[in-house]
Amino acid sequence: MKLNDRGLLVVISGPSGVGKGTVRKALFDMKGHNLTYSVSMTTRQMREGERDGVDYYFVSKEDFQQKIKDGKLLEYAEFVGNYYGTPLDKVNEQLDNGNEVVLEIEVEGAQQVKQKMPDCVMIFIVPPGKEALYERLKSRGTESEEVIQKRINKANREFKKAHLYDYIVVNDEVSNAADRIMAIIRAEHAKTERSIHKYMELIGENED
Ligand code: 5GP
């Protein structure tokens, strides 16, 4: 029985190179959920293998700035020289339809979301150790040495923001990390403050 009409907004962050994208894909591959992924908008260049409208909406800096002006973004931030942001309309539409919406965003944007939608669930993914992170960033082979260094510096600053999140999930194994996130989502749904109103309505009782 479903006790929530509106979906949960799930914000996932973590330092660059922690494997957020891989964990998110494993999460979406799990059965029996109604998760939808919010495709972000970015001004960064498309990487090999990425698809416009699937991984990101790739736009020009001018277009991005126009979206900001028009109030079309739930949040946005600059990350290592590029803009990234979450289109607002789709998020609200999915939540109203009762679907969970997953945002995979960096920490500044996550804080903006928390302010605007305080009932969101904030999850921070961490690596089992810092070395794993640096190795991943270097072996990805998609960025120049300079960009890698900037991302490592950024990751070190991002680590310090973990305390702003509701949950910390260690990505020791991708499937374990995805399992943990699914457990968090299920537990959040069962929280009294999220479900009591609907339950009382169902049994025809008023809350005192
Ligand atoms: P990448 O260039 O590696 O795809 O992403 C760089 C960083 O930007 C990652 O930490 C990613 O989670 C974050 N990011 C992706 N989309 C958004 C977004 O819509 N808003 C914000 N604030 N960060 C995002």
Side-chain angles (χ1 to χ4, degrees), residues 14-151:
S16 195
V18 76
K20 295 185 291 281
T22 319
V23 171
R24 189 240 308 160
K25 281 179 190 127
L27 182 69
F28 277 75
D29 283 345
M30 291 169 83
K31 292 197 175 84
H33 64 74
N34 56 344
L35 303 175
T36 56
Y37 178 59
S38 160
V39 178
S40 294
M41 197 167 275
T42 185
T43 60
R44 89 145 156 71
Q45 281 204 328
M46 201 188 287
R47 288 187 194 133
E48 212 182 298
E50 284 184 330
R51 282 177 297 162
D52 189 26
V54 176
D55 299 285
Y56 283 106
Y57 296 107
F58 294 93
V59 298
S60 68
K61 202 168 175 180
E62 291 70 34
D63 284 350
F64 198 100
Q65 283 166 335
Q66 193 58 47
K67 296 276 179 204
I68 299 174
K69 264 195 201 146
D70 296 343
K72 301 268 189 219
L73 299 176
L74 168 60
E75 60 72 37
Y76 70 92
E78 210 181 321
F79 185 94
V80 191
N82 287 301
Y83 280 123
Y84 295 80
T86 303
L88 181 59
D89 51 352
K90 296 213 174 96
V91 170
N92 274 328
E93 194 185 301
Q94 292 291 353
L95 291 175
D96 289 345
N97 287 340
N99 294 321
E100 335 287 14
V101 177
V102 176
L103 308 183
E104 187 200 310
I105 63 179
E106 54 67 66
V107 293
E108 274 174 49
Q111 282 172 262
Q112 294 169 37
V113 176
K114 186 77 187 171
Q115 271 175 2
K116 288 187 186 163
M117 299 187 168
D119 66 344
C120 68
V121 183
M122 307 259 290
I123 302 174
F124 196 75
I125 304 185
V126 293
K130 273 191 172 178
E131 296 72 28
L133 196 73
Y134 301 157
E135 282 313 311
R136 246 188 87 91
L137 276 172
K138 284 184 181 147
S139 66
R140 194 152 70 179
T142 47
E143 278 103 10
S144 67
E145 196 55 44
E146 191 196 343
V147 171
I148 290 171
Q149 198 50 51
K150 281 186 182 162
R151 280 180 177 253

